[in-house]
Amino acid sequence: MRKNWDEYFMNITDAVGLRATCDRGRSGAIIVKDNKILATGYAGSPPGLPHCDEVGHRLITVIENGITSEHCIRTIHSEVNAMLQAAEFGIKIKGGTLYCKMLPCYNCGMDIIRVGIIRVVAKRHYQKEQETIKMFRQSNIEFVILEDEIQKYE
């Protein structure tokens, strides 16, 4: 059976994530407009800097609303890497759709709003997505979550 556009692009997003160099999520992202892929990105360190897979994670502990979690700050998130790739090559992404492994974090969500992405399709929920959801609703960004489960880290 032929895949719909969201399924098709999510499969490509999964393939892009295979290049990720942080084993906590191995996430990928793509930006699409008019059913054409404009840019791709995966979780990884900036060029020339060590990757998690080579030297380990650079974890920080975050306490938010009484919930403690650890986050790796060695890598740039896949969503931002896709937006940076578009900027590097002068590709206009305003009005596009961003496909990603999990609903973006708060910081990526702010960047998505700023560049004019109008739709986000995530494979799964993110453990701390409530603020992102609130921002997306306030900014009239459509978001779709394909699988109703929270992304687990390896």
Side-chain angles (χ1 to χ4, degrees), residues 77-80 83 104-113 136:
H77 290 184
S78 60
E79 301 89 341
V80 171
M83 291 182 276
C105 71
Y106 181 79
N107 288 330
C108 289
M110 288 191 296
D111 295 340
I112 288 164
I113 293 166
F136 282 175

Side-chain angles (χ1 to χ4, degrees), residues 9-19 26 28 101 123:
F9 288 124
M10 191 56 66
N11 284 339
I12 295 169
T13 299
D14 289 341
V16 171
L18 296 173
R19 288 278 307 154
R26 297 265 186 241
K101 187 171 186 174
K123 187 171 192 174

Side-chain angles (χ1 to χ4, degrees), residues 2 9 42-43 47 49-50 54 60 64 66 71 73 88 96-97 99 101 106-107 119 122 133-134 146 154:
R2 188 174 189 191
F9 288 124
Y42 52 85
L49 296 181
E54 300 165 343
I60 60 167
E64 186 177 325
H71 296 273
I73 60 169
E88 179 180 4
T97 297
Y99 290 84
K101 187 171 186 174
Y106 181 79
N107 288 330
R119 185 169 183 259
I133 289 172
K134 188 185 305 181
L146 299 177
E154 296 177 13

Side-chain angles (χ1 to χ4, degrees), residues 55-135:
V55 296
H57 301 290
R58 186 169 175 206
L59 297 174
I60 60 167
T61 301
V62 176
I63 301 172
E64 186 177 325
N65 298 327
I67 299 171
T68 302
S69 59
E70 285 190 320
H71 296 273
C72 181
I73 60 169
R74 185 174 303 285
T75 63
I76 299 171
H77 290 184
S78 60
E79 301 89 341
V80 171
N81 266 329
M83 291 182 276
L84 291 171
Q85 183 186 73
E88 179 180 4
F89 294 109
I91 300 169
K92 296 179 182 182
I93 57 176
K94 185 175 184 176
T97 297
L98 184 136
Y99 290 84
C100 50
K101 187 171 186 174
M102 62 194 103
L103 197 69
C105 71
Y106 181 79
N107 288 330
C108 289
M110 288 191 296
D111 295 340
I112 288 164
I113 293 166
R114 173 61 187 91
V115 300
I117 296 289
I118 60 171
R119 185 169 183 259
V120 173
V121 179
K123 187 171 192 174
R124 296 187 186 100
H125 292 276
Y126 172 56
Q127 62 185 347
K128 298 170 75 175
E129 65 185 24
Q130 293 309 310
E131 290 300 315
T132 302
I133 289 172
K134 188 185 305 181
M135 282 192 312

